[in-house]
């Protein structure tokens, strides 16, 4: 199962990036920060990503942009791979490569616009919508790690949000939260616009029934989706489309065990491991050779 999740983070066609070179090249996120730890855990990434999408699909303009202009319904596996790999590049790749990918994403989003079913015009690069998308993604990954891998201190949660500020600005999310209090404030101000829809039900059905993980582990895939629903904050968590879809008795301990195992297993081919090796090689080059 963990290997299957890690495969979702491998480069999709046309998005190949070298995380290993050049030696010592810094990323947009600090290599000694908490974000490098959080994003290295595939269980937290899967759960956090699903929770983030639930929050995004509850916002009418974001929902129309995502559902009307993406390939999610046709090929959810590839869409998840592209989204997951973009996150890996943003966090771990050399900053120059990350900026190039973000620039392509911003240019692609410039062509995404339309009108919601109730007549509201929207455009994907609207800073208000970008702030919400970036905030929900950050919340999802941080909170999933906090709940299902290792409890984070308030200072670590704040640091994780602050570390993403530079990347958020590149995406155009100039007002994305840089502390947990700012996330709480944004959630409270956005709450009046959040609503349920058939799209939420369709999304959960696709995620539950599309074999993203190997067939025998489909029950684990559904477990992780329930974990995502469980941690999604109100008012979205209380929407009828999410009712009865959270964790069952005793399942949180199982998910937490999976999260801890995922963090302990060696995974040398992941973007996180390759990026760490890149930084170590750079440090080794700086170390003066001893003369005997």
């Amino acid at each position: 199962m963990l290997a299957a999740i890690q495969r979702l983070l491998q480069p999709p066609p046309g998005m190949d990036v070298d995380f290993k070179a050049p030696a010592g090249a810094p990323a947009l996120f600090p290599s000694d920060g908490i974000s490098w730890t959080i994003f290295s855990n595939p269980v937290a990434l899967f759960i956090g990503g699903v929770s983030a999408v639930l929050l995004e699909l509850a916002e009418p303009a974001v929902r129309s942009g995502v559902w009307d202009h993406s390939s999610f319904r046709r090929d959810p596996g590839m869409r998840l791979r592209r989204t997951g790999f973009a996150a890996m590049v943003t966090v771990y790749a050399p900053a120059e490569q990350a900026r190039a990918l973000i620039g392509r994403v911003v240019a692609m989003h410039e062509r995404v616009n339309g009108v919601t079913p109730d007549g509201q015009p929207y455009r994907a690069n609207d800073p208000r919508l970008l702030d919400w998308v970036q905030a929900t993604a950050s919340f999802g990954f941080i909170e999933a790690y906090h709940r299902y891998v290792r409890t984070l201190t308030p200072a670590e949660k704040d640091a994780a949000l602050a570390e993403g500020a530079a990347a958020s600005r590149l995406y155009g999310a100039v007002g994305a939260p840089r502390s947990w209090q700012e996330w709480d404030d944004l959630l409270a101000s956005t709450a009046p616009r959040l609503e349920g829809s058939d799209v939420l039900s369709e999304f959960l059905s696709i995620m539950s029934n599309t074999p993203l993980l190997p067939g025998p582990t489909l029950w684990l895939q559904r477990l992780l989706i329930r974990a995502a629903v469980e941690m999604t904050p109100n008012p979205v968590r209380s929407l009828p489309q999410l009712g009865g879809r959270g964790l069952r008795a005793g399942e949180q301990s199982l998910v937490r065990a999976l999260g801890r195992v995922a963090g302990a297993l060696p995974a040398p081919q992941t973007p996180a491991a390759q990026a760490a090796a890149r930084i170590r090689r750079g440090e080794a080059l700086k170390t003066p050779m001893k003369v005997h």
Side-chain angles (χ1 to χ4, degrees):
M1 180 200 72
L2 298 178
I5 295 176
Q6 288 168 346
R7 281 196 295 274
L8 293 175
L9 306 178
Q10 294 306 304
M15 292 183 69
D16 199 17
V17 170
D18 188 358
F19 291 92
K20 303 184 293 296
L28 293 177
F29 284 64
S31 60
D32 58 352
I34 187 65
S35 296
W36 271 42
T37 300
I38 290 171
F39 280 81
S40 69
N41 190 288
V43 169
L45 291 184
F46 189 94
I47 295 172
V50 173
S51 181
V53 173
L54 291 171
L55 288 165
E56 291 163 18
L57 293 179
E59 208 287 335
V62 176
R63 177 170 65 243
S64 291
V66 170
W67 220 239
D68 295 345
H69 296 271
S70 80
S71 60
F72 189 87
R73 279 176 286 185
R74 297 192 310 274
D75 191 353
M78 182 55 68
R79 174 58 194 263
L80 290 172
R81 280 184 65 190
R82 295 183 69 85
T83 301
F85 189 71
M88 294 296 98
V89 173
T90 302
V91 175
Y92 295 115
E96 183 177 352
Q97 295 187 52
R99 291 190 188 98
L101 178 136
I102 292 171
R104 293 194 295 272
V105 171
V106 171
M108 180 183 65
H109 284 171
E110 193 61 39
R111 302 190 294 270
V112 176
N113 57 79
V115 180
T116 65
D118 62 356
Q120 298 179 45
Y122 67 84
R123 59 186 184 89
N125 279 343
D126 180 340
R128 178 182 68 82
L129 302 184
L130 291 170
D131 287 349
W132 180 243
V133 170
Q134 287 292 312
T136 55
S138 297
F139 163 81
F141 299 136
I142 296 167
E143 185 66 14
Y145 190 91
H146 171 70
R147 287 205 185 198
Y148 302 121
V149 183
R150 175 179 68 80
T151 301
L152 298 172
T153 67
E156 287 176 319
K157 284 187 167 185
D158 284 348
L161 284 171
E163 288 167 8
S168 294
R169 287 193 296 271
L170 290 173
Y171 277 108
V174 295
R178 292 168 294 178
S179 70
W180 211 252
Q181 182 59 57
E182 289 185 8
W183 156 249
D184 286 339
D185 293 343
L186 179 61
L187 177 61
S189 65
T190 308
R193 296 196 298 274
L194 302 179
E195 62 183 23
S197 71
D198 291 341
V199 170
L200 279 173
S201 299
E202 186 178 355
F203 169 73
L204 285 172
S205 177
I206 291 172
M207 291 299 298
S208 297
N209 296 304
T210 301
L212 303 171
L213 304 183
T217 60
L218 186 60
W219 70 273
L220 282 172
Q221 177 178 317
R222 291 170 175 168
L223 172 67
L224 299 185
I225 293 166
R226 291 198 295 275
V229 171
E230 187 70 28
M231 60 166 264
T232 301
N234 282 323
V236 176
R237 176 67 181 88
S238 59
L239 291 172
Q241 291 82 7
L242 273 63
R245 292 178 176 265
L247 290 173
R248 301 160 188 167
E251 287 186 336
Q252 177 154 332
S253 297
L254 175 56
V255 177
R256 197 169 177 88
L258 289 170
R260 289 177 171 174
V261 168
L265 291 176
Q269 299 307 313
T270 63
Q274 294 178 3
R278 180 184 82 236
I279 298 300
R280 287 195 300 271
R281 284 197 300 274
E283 292 171 348
L285 291 173
K286 293 178 184 177
T287 303
M289 294 181 63
K290 293 183 180 180
V291 178
H292 297 284

